[in-house]
Amino acid sequence: MCYYTKIDRETCIACGACGIAAPDLYDYDDECIAFFVKDHNQGITPIKDTSVDAMLAAYEECPTGSVQISKQPFHQSENVK
């Protein structure tokens, strides 16, 4: 099953939880606001199977729910969780 992710940059509080849980998936801009690195936070690049657990950990650790997950690219779907 494919998963997609992106960060809701409006609600991100720059806590660093997603970057700790999944450093290959999430990074921070100059204001320390997180984004999904694989497609510049568009949420259209599938997550590799080897990174799904890290993505789910980032989702669970985010205190504001800013890590978003979908089973379809974000331009085509609602969030899964």
Side-chain angles (χ1 to χ4, degrees), residues 18-67:
C18 62
I20 291 168
D24 292 340
L25 299 178
Y26 306 104
D27 202 355
Y28 306 93
D29 65 13
D30 292 339
E31 297 175 1
C32 297
I33 302 299
F35 65 95
F36 174 54
V37 298
K38 304 295 182 184
D39 62 15
H40 305 287
N41 210 51
Q42 295 180 56
I44 58 173
T45 302
I47 302 298
K48 293 181 181 179
D49 290 342
T50 56
S51 297
V52 169
D53 288 343
M55 177 196 66
L56 293 172
Y59 173 84
E60 293 295 327
E61 294 297 321
C62 181
T64 61
S66 297
V67 175

